[in-house]
Amino acid sequence: MIDSKDVEHSNGVEEIDDKLRKLFVGGLSEDTTEDSSKAYFSKFGEVENINILRYDDGKSRKFGFVTYVNDDAAKNCLEEKKMKSHKLDDKDIEVKRAMPRGNKDRNASLKTHKIFVGGLDTDVDEETIKSYFEDTFGATVTKVDFIKKKKVLCVDTT
């Protein structure tokens, strides 16, 4: 866990800390407000900020961002998504980690551990994939999932 005392500050922006605490929320209802969003997202932890993007006329753009006080709350919210979809104001919504646009910083995807690979020969096995990623990139491969129908796979690394 990253302690907020250890976070680098640049132009008043908390570089790493925001990447762990800030989530993108898409597919919002036109009627969703900051208050209804805060009421929903607070059940996963203390919310620092809710920002629903709006057009100049005040109409919702139907997406926004929630920033939690700590990264554990954001993780709780993302874990909930694995068990059941998020629903706010009677609408299924998309929740995922926010990624800054145009950010070329290597730490932007700090918590991403899945790699998708396509176009593999049908005779490639799990051990071959595991060895390749461990030997070539020094990754610890925890899981290899083959999706046989589409001839692609997902590699979980840490």
Side-chain angles (χ1 to χ4, degrees):
M1 187 163 119
I2 298 173
D3 187 56
S4 61
K5 292 177 270 189
D6 299 327
V7 174
E8 295 281 329
H9 295 275
S10 172
N11 297 326
V13 177
E14 296 176 347
E15 300 261 334
I16 294 173
D17 197 34
D18 268 358
K19 290 180 185 123
L20 301 178
R21 300 181 305 122
K22 189 173 188 177
L23 302 177
F24 167 85
V25 182
L28 295 173
S29 164
E30 213 171 276
D31 301 323
T32 298
T33 65
E34 282 77 359
D35 289 339
S36 65
S37 296
K38 189 167 187 173
Y40 176 78
F41 287 105
S42 291
K43 64 184 177 179
F44 305 107
E46 188 178 348
V47 173
E48 180 178 292
N49 184 41
I50 299 276
N51 182 18
I52 297 175
L53 278 74
R54 301 186 180 283
Y55 293 106
D56 291 338
D57 64 2
K59 189 175 178 181
S60 174
R61 294 179 64 188
K62 300 183 184 177
F63 74 93
F65 299 92
V66 58
T67 305
Y68 284 98
V69 170
N70 60 56
D71 61 313
D72 285 336
K75 286 180 199 171
N76 291 340
C77 185
L78 293 171
E79 286 296 318
E80 175 81 7
K81 180 175 85 168
K82 291 179 183 178
M83 292 185 252
K84 63 179 184 171
S85 63
H86 287 283
K87 194 170 194 123
L88 177 59
D89 294 330
D90 296 320
K91 193 157 193 263
D92 286 335
I93 58 172
E94 177 184 6
V95 178
K96 60 185 177 181
R97 223 173 265 290
M99 294 291 172
R101 270 199 273 172
N103 188 341
K104 294 184 175 135
D105 178 3
R106 286 184 177 167
N107 292 324
S109 59
L110 199 56
K111 293 285 183 172
T112 302
H113 298 286
K114 289 187 179 183
I115 301 167
F116 295 92
V117 180
L120 296 172
D121 287 336
T122 55
D123 63 342
V124 175
D125 64 2
E126 182 175 339
E127 192 54 43
T128 304
I129 296 297
K130 191 172 183 177
S131 296
Y132 175 78
F133 280 94
E134 290 177 345
D135 296 345
T136 306
F137 303 105
T140 302
V141 177
T142 57
K143 184 178 179 184
V144 176
D145 289 326
F146 285 96
I147 304 169
K148 303 254 184 220
K149 289 180 184 176
K150 294 189 177 188
K151 295 183 185 175
V152 297
L153 66 90
C154 173
V155 178
D156 260 342
T157 63
T158 54

